[in-house]
Amino acid sequence: MALNLSKSKYCSIEHKGGDLKHTEFLAYPGKDPRRALAEQLCRDIPRGVCTTAYNMGFEKGRIKGLAEIYPDLAEHLMDIHDNIQDLMIPFQKKYYYDRAMQGSYSIKYVLPALFPDDPSLDYHNLEGVHNGSEASATFKRMAAMSRDELEAYRTHLLNYCGLDTFAMVKVWEKLNEVVGIKL
């Protein structure tokens, strides 16, 4: 399970050799999305599974906050929280390093270093939203957009979020390949 809570998309592989399963959540502006997001997390992520995040501290903070607000979902949310592993650690601790990462362990540097010739993994090839700052700014502006513009930017956001989460899957696969684990 790869989690990107802040970016609203999830991918899972439920067993060795299994297919990648994709789910997503992106709120429409105008109402508090937290309850719907918490419920979606509980539906999409079973108890007791390993969930990966890139920079898990941020994701864990959001999940803990949701658990505090919604006590009826707290047990499940804290199970998710307690089973998160950080995909960033091998790069942060330099267990895996490539000069193309330019001294950074940000996924925006790690991904192109691991997959330099894959245009499907290049954030620059996305339309409308290319990084986290643009994603946050776009989400904030959505309330003032026309319906057509809103739907176009929802698509841009979901595509960006999808690449963010798919990037974690690809990085996880590459790390498994490097250590000789066949998936």
Side-chain angles (χ1 to χ4, degrees):
M1 174 74 58
L3 170 67
N4 195 333
L5 180 59
S6 64
K7 304 298 190 268
S8 312
K9 287 208 174 193
Y10 318 94
C11 294
S12 64
I13 301 171
E14 296 180 3
H15 54 82
K16 187 174 182 173
D19 292 330
L20 185 64
K21 178 183 169 189
H22 166 85
T23 58
E24 62 191 26
F25 176 91
L26 180 59
Y28 278 93
K31 75 177 213 180
D32 185 346
R34 292 176 296 177
R35 176 75 192 192
L37 174 60
E39 290 172 347
Q40 186 77 39
L41 284 168
C42 291
R43 278 192 302 275
D44 289 344
I45 304 174
R47 293 175 193 237
V49 301
C50 176
T51 302
T52 58
Y54 210 91
N55 188 9
M56 73 178 180
F58 179 82
E59 312 299 346
K60 288 179 92 167
R62 304 300 69 77
I63 291 171
K64 186 174 183 182
L66 290 171
E68 291 169 357
I69 296 169
Y70 305 111
D72 60 314
L73 302 174
E75 187 177 323
H76 193 142
L77 290 168
M78 289 310 295
D79 182 81
I80 295 166
H81 173 280
D82 295 343
N83 286 296
I84 293 178
Q85 298 297 315
D86 199 334
L87 191 59
M88 181 174 70
I89 289 174
F91 306 101
Q92 182 181 39
K93 296 195 180 261
K94 300 207 180 348
Y95 299 146
Y96 186 107
Y97 183 76
D98 186 300
R99 288 184 350 173
M101 293 177 200
Q102 302 174 41
S104 176
Y105 49 85
S106 162
I107 199 155
K108 302 302 188 281
Y109 286 86
V110 169
L111 189 65
L114 296 178
F115 303 96
D117 300 318
D118 190 338
S120 71
L121 297 174
D122 188 337
Y123 286 90
H124 300 299
N125 291 335
L126 295 172
E127 186 179 344
V129 178
H130 308 92
N131 59 53
S133 296
E134 287 179 10
S136 294
T138 296
F139 189 76
K140 288 176 186 172
R141 288 193 332 263
M142 285 171 57
M145 292 180 183
S146 70
R147 188 71 174 161
D148 289 344
E149 187 179 24
L150 173 69
E151 291 306 323
Y153 274 94
R154 277 182 59 80
T155 298
H156 298 327
L157 276 170
L158 290 171
N159 288 337
Y160 166 76
C161 297
L163 178 53
D164 241 13
T165 306
F166 188 57
M168 288 192 292
V169 172
K170 297 302 288 182
V171 167
W172 177 76
E173 289 174 346
K174 179 63 89 172
L175 289 174
N176 278 281
E177 177 186 310
V178 167
V179 297
I181 297 173
K182 299 211 188 265
L183 301 175

